Amino acid sequence: MDRGRPALSATRTTCPYCGVGCGVLATPDGNGGGDLGRPRSSANFGRLCSKGSALGETLGLEERLLQPMIRCSKGTMERVAWSDALDHVAHRFKHIVMRDGPGAVAFYLSGQLLTEDYYVANKLMKGFIGSANVDTNSRLCMSSSVAGHRRAFAPTPCGLLRGSRMRPICWCSSVPIAAWCHPVLFQRMMHNRQSAAPG
């Protein structure tokens, strides 16, 4: 750390990736590091997967788009004002709808939106534009997992019975998949298994 710079304090936040909601202590160090799991977070108890522990690496500005750019007729990208960029998108969107109909456009929304955000996006697409072509990553991303789960375990989801102190009595999971895709949950499963083992 530079002597001229004040010490940076950690910010308590939540990992933005999957739906576990792991607690993170983010301390920007200028080198893409400084992320630790929050030990008192009930979601992860200080553990982070590879994505969560590398959050700092996503904050570099070198290759990040910091202002709106529009490709001009020469094929090069030109910086434009936010108002001009938004107007351009709105006009092109309207043009496509007028030329090809409402079914020619779609929204593919983030899985990280709030309920109110989903409501507004659905109202805009279905109520105003007149198209049902709206979906979210939170559904499409998990569709293959749900299909596999239904084929393996039947349409009824496997119930998770909870004992004392968040200890599951029954887990239904394919362990290699859990270890790879849900490392924080997998670590909790292994911890519970080891603490329940005799002697």
Side-chain angles (χ1 to χ4, degrees):
M1 182 183 305
D2 296 338
R3 290 179 183 260
R5 293 177 63 188
L8 297 171
S9 60
T11 300
R12 293 177 58 208
T13 186
T14 304
C15 181
Y17 286 111
C18 75
V20 172
C22 293
V24 177
L25 288 172
T27 308
D29 64 0
N31 298 314
D35 296 324
L36 298 171
R38 286 198 338 243
R40 294 186 179 176
S41 170
S42 61
N44 60 317
F45 301 107
R47 299 177 182 105
L48 289 176
C49 71
S50 58
K51 286 183 178 182
S53 59
L55 279 172
E57 297 174 21
T58 67
L59 299 178
L61 300 179
E62 298 78 29
E63 297 182 17
R64 186 171 291 242
L65 185 62
L66 301 176
Q67 64 275 329
M69 307 282 283
I70 292 180
R71 188 174 309 280
C72 67
S73 58
K74 296 178 252 176
T76 57
M77 300 296 284
E78 291 185 2
R79 181 178 175 176
V80 296
W82 278 102
S83 58
D84 294 338
L86 291 172
D87 286 345
H88 177 74
V89 170
H91 289 305
R92 291 291 301 143
F93 207 84
K94 183 178 179 181
H95 173 74
I96 292 169
V97 171
M98 296 296 286
R99 185 188 67 201
D100 301 316
V105 295
F107 285 166
Y108 183 60
L109 307 172
S110 167
Q112 302 292 326
L113 296 177
L114 300 175
T115 302
E116 295 82 2
D117 300 326
Y118 289 123
Y119 175 81
V120 170
N122 273 276
K123 231 11 173 181
L124 173 61
M125 180 56 86
K126 295 176 181 176
F128 182 72
I129 296 173
S131 172
N133 297 338
V134 57
D135 217 327
T136 65
N137 186 57
S138 50
R139 183 165 74 153
L140 294 178
C141 178
M142 294 304 296
S143 60
S144 59
S145 297
V146 171
H149 187 277
R150 288 174 60 98
R151 289 185 74 183
F153 300 113
T156 323
C158 175
L160 177 64
L161 305 174
R162 295 187 184 277
S164 62
R165 297 189 318 187
M166 298 285 289
R167 285 199 178 173
I169 297 168
C170 170
W171 284 103
C172 264
S173 175
S174 173
V175 174
I177 294 173
W180 182 259
C181 299
H182 296 285
V184 172
L185 178 61
F186 179 75
Q187 290 171 21
R188 290 177 71 173
M189 290 166 57
M190 291 297 99
H191 173 76
N192 285 336
R193 180 178 176 195
Q194 290 166 356
S195 63

